[in-house]
């Protein structure tokens, strides 16, 4: 088991450091770079995310280097940690000694080889969120049997860290808190409630600090942007959401994980003779998966990768489902072939997803070539018009309002736009045509023509 997991971890880390890429991560990396340069999210530039992961990456990049490999390395380690903790949870608690190691391995592989986890785990805040969600789950499970409230505080701290890194995980905290209070068997409920809430609040200290300096800007970036402005860049966000929410029908991995998880839940509830306290821990996995899926499914628009946050909890239930099916269909004393078959299906599904992802998205190497060319032709003190990946790779601070491309369709009025560091699309066009940029970059021929770039610049590459 440990050899297989070590092989997975090595392959995942290599992928994270060489090929992992998605366009969206560039504005997260740029935000971390701007923080390292002394700027404040919300106050000095628009960053519609909770900021803890950006501060975390800024700290490490200041020590280890301003490059994308540093955040990828830590996100990969967080993701690997989530896989290992998921594996250990099943290994420690699975009642059948013959299947224990194999069920634990299947839970780890169902998590680690899941296409969404593998592709996006090293990117943005997904790695830290996965780790903190599983850690919060384990701490909360432990807290119900402890007299002292330290485990409850740890559960809140981990859940709060996940939410302070991405609000996509916010639903986990209330579920864990309610479950802990309902199933508490030792110690005072109110003490544990207070400890959990205090622990949850601690990671939001940066948000509180920023709110004191700019309450209007903080409210806009953390709440208002997501309620009203995310959908501006999608011509039909409702249709998009419908397609995403039904895309599992075309995904072999999603169907396999979901069906096995349902089978596991049914087995635990109706066929197993496990103690009720043991069943409750597995039921908590189901509640967490449902709550997180409901939250990310209501994001408008939503994306398939958001649902990776449910995978560890579904994988725990799916490992039980594999046991329930294979121990009856196959030899109950020989679980090896069931896990081998599962592994083959997961590897082939992952391989196809990696192929599709690289065909669609490319990698950082392409952008690094572009950045080198821009640095070659542009003095360091000259202004560049570009997108977030170029600003990050060239280590150039973008003009105010160009830190996030996805804000140019927002118009709050002149005063509010200035406060939120937003410039509208017509203003962007006017800036470009004013000739203040020594170099202008675009990957869109239509934008080049609309901005009049061929007529503005004598040289073009």
């Amino acid at each position: 088991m440990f050899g297989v997991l070590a092989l997975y971890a090595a392959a995942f880390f290599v992928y994270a450091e060489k090929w992992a890429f998605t366009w969206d991560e560039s504005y997260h990396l740029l935000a971390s770079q701007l923080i390292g340069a002394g700027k404040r999210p919300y106050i000095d530039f628009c960053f519609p995310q909770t900021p803890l992961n950006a501060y975390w990456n800024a700290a490490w990049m200041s020590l280890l280097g301003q490059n994308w490999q540093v955040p990828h390395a830590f996100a990969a380690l967080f993701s690997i940690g989530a896989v290992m903790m998921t594996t250990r949870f099943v290994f420690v608690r699975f009642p059948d000694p013959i299947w224990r190691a194999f069920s634990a391995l299947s839970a780890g592989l169902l998590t680690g080889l899941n296409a969404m986890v593998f592709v996006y785990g090293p990117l943005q805040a997904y790695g830290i969120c996965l780790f903190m969600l599983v850690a919060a789950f384990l701490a909360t499970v432990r807290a119900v049997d402890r007299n002292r409230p330290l485990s409850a505080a740890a559960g809140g701290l981990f859940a709060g860290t996940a939410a302070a890194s991405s609000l996509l995980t916010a639903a986990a905290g209330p579920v864990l808190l309610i479950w802990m209070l309902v199933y508490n068997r030792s110690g005072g409920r109110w003490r544990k409630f207070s400890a959990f809430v205090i622990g949850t609040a601690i990671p939001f200290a940066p948000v509180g600090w920023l709110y004191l300096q700019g309450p209007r800007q903080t409210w806009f970036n953390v709440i208002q942007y997501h309620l009203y402005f995310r959908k501006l860049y999608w011509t039909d966000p409702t249709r998009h959401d419908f397609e995403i929410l039904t895309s599992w029908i075309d995904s072999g991995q999603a169907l396999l994980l979901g069906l096995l998880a349902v089978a596991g839940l049914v087995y635990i509830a109706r066929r197993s003779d496990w103690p009720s306290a043991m069943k409750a821990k597995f039921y908590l996995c189901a509640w967490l998966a449902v709550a997180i899926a409901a939250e990310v499914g209501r994001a408008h628009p939503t994306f398939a990768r958001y649902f990776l946050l449910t995978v560890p909890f579904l994988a725990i239930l799916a490992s039980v489902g594999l046991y329930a099916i294979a121990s009856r269909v196959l030899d109950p004393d020989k679980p090896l072939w069931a896990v081998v078959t599962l592994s083959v299906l997961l590897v082939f599904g992952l391989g196809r997803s990696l192929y599709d992802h690289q065909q669609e998205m490319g990698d950082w190497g392409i952008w690094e070539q572009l950045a080198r060319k821009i640095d070659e032709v542009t003095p360091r003190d000259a202004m560049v018009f570009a997108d977030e990946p170029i600003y990050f790779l060239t280590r150039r601070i973008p003009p105010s309002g160009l830190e996030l491309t996805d804000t140019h369709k927002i118009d709050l009025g002149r005063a509010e736009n200035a406060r939120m560091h937003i410039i509208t699309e017509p203003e962007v066009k006017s800036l470009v045509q004013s000739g203040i940029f020594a170099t202008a970059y675009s990957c869109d021929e239509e934008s080049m023509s609309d901005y009049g770039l061929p007529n503005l610049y004598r040289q073009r590459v």
Side-chain angles (χ1 to χ4, degrees):
M1 179 177 73
F2 297 109
V4 173
L5 292 174
L7 180 62
Y8 149 76
F12 180 67
F13 196 84
V14 170
Y15 167 78
E17 289 297 279
K18 287 186 174 292
W19 298 292
F21 172 82
T22 184
W23 168 271
D24 289 350
E25 71 167 320
S26 59
Y27 88 85
H28 290 260
L29 296 175
L30 179 60
S32 296
Q33 197 171 71
L34 293 174
I35 290 170
K39 292 185 175 291
R40 301 161 296 175
Y42 315 158
I43 313 302
D44 297 321
F45 63 94
C46 185
F47 182 63
Q49 301 285 333
T50 43
L52 190 62
N53 186 61
Y55 276 103
W56 166 266
N57 285 334
W60 283 111
M61 286 197 299
S62 67
L63 293 174
L64 302 178
Q66 299 290 321
N67 58 70
W68 55 268
Q69 288 93 344
V70 172
H72 279 204
F74 284 99
L77 291 173
F78 276 128
S79 299
I80 292 168
V83 171
M84 299 305 175
M85 290 189 295
T86 301
T87 303
R88 186 180 183 277
F89 174 83
V90 176
F91 184 78
V92 169
R93 291 167 178 82
F94 203 81
D96 189 326
I98 297 175
W99 275 79
R100 184 172 296 138
F102 291 96
S103 293
L105 179 59
S106 66
L109 293 177
L110 282 162
T111 304
L113 296 180
N114 179 274
M116 291 294 104
V117 172
F118 201 97
V119 170
Y120 293 99
L123 308 174
Q124 297 173 225
Y126 294 117
I128 192 172
C129 287
L130 279 171
F131 181 90
M132 294 302 167
L133 284 174
V134 179
F137 165 70
L138 296 178
T140 304
V141 164
R142 180 184 176 89
V144 297
D145 295 315
R146 296 294 184 272
N147 184 55
R148 300 178 66 184
L150 292 179
S151 293
L157 181 66
F158 293 135
T161 300
S165 300
S166 172
L167 285 177
L168 293 173
T169 66
V175 171
L176 291 169
L177 178 59
I178 293 170
W179 185 90
M180 180 186 68
L181 297 176
V182 170
Y183 288 97
N184 184 58
R185 288 185 293 273
S186 179
R189 281 185 170 84
W190 283 109
R191 290 177 64 202
K192 292 183 179 180
F193 173 87
S194 300
F196 191 99
V197 171
I198 292 171
T200 302
I202 291 172
F204 282 91
V207 176
W209 176 70
L210 293 167
Y211 184 85
L212 291 175
Q213 298 175 75
R216 179 71 187 90
Q217 297 96 312
T218 303
W219 173 259
F220 172 80
N221 281 269
V222 177
I223 304 296
Q224 189 178 4
Y225 178 91
H226 300 281
L227 289 177
Y228 302 111
F229 301 112
R230 275 171 48 91
K231 60 186 178 182
L232 290 180
Y233 283 81
W234 298 89
T235 55
D236 191 350
T238 301
R239 179 177 180 177
H240 167 85
D241 289 349
F242 174 78
E243 292 173 352
I244 293 296
L245 294 173
T246 56
S247 62
W248 57 271
I249 297 172
D250 297 324
S251 171
Q253 277 203 345
L255 281 171
L256 180 64
L257 179 63
L259 291 174
L260 285 177
V262 171
L265 188 61
V266 171
Y267 172 80
I268 293 167
R270 304 188 63 178
R271 301 296 298 274
S272 76
D273 56 358
W274 297 0
S276 58
M278 177 69 74
K279 289 183 177 182
K281 296 178 174 66
F282 285 83
Y283 291 155
L284 176 57
C285 291
W287 285 116
L288 284 169
V290 169
I292 294 171
E295 179 186 359
V296 302
R298 286 178 59 83
H300 197 50
T302 190
F303 296 93
R305 59 183 175 268
Y306 292 173
F307 291 87
L308 70 86
L309 300 169
T310 68
V311 169
F313 310 111
L314 292 175
I316 290 171
L317 294 173
S319 69
V320 180
L322 181 67
Y323 163 77
I325 295 171
S327 63
R328 283 155 178 76
V329 176
L330 304 175
D331 190 334
D333 295 328
K334 295 181 179 179
L336 174 62
W337 289 109
V339 178
V340 168
T341 302
L342 174 68
S343 302
V344 170
L345 292 173
L346 292 173
V347 168
F348 275 101
L350 173 60
R352 176 55 189 268
S353 295
L354 289 174
Y355 174 80
D356 291 341
H357 178 76
Q358 290 301 314
Q359 289 289 103
E360 295 169 3
M361 303 299 297
D363 57 48
W364 275 106
I366 298 170
W367 294 97
E368 288 171 333
Q369 293 178 45
L370 295 168
R372 284 193 294 270
K373 186 62 179 178
I374 287 171
D375 276 338
E376 177 187 326
V377 301
T378 313
R380 288 304 301 178
D381 59 350
M383 295 180 68
V384 172
F385 174 74
D387 294 325
E388 295 95 313
I390 297 298
Y391 287 128
F392 171 73
L393 291 171
T394 59
R395 303 180 191 178
R396 296 173 185 266
I397 295 178
S400 180
L402 295 182
E403 300 92 348
L404 179 55
T405 305
D406 287 348
T407 58
H408 299 329
K409 289 189 178 181
I410 300 173
D411 190 355
L412 306 173
R414 185 176 298 274
E416 281 295 276
N417 285 347
R419 180 184 295 178
M420 304 304 168
H421 301 280
I422 290 172
I423 56 176
T424 64
E425 191 65 37
E427 290 172 328
V428 173
K429 182 177 179 180
S430 177
L431 275 177
V432 173
Q433 293 181 342
S434 71
I436 66 171
F437 297 106
T439 302
Y441 161 80
S442 177
C443 62
D444 185 348
E445 288 287 343
E446 185 176 341
S447 293
M448 291 183 191
S449 176
D450 184 45
Y451 290 167
L453 298 185
N455 300 322
L456 283 172
Y457 295 90
R458 293 192 303 270
Q459 300 181 63
R460 178 179 178 182
V461 176

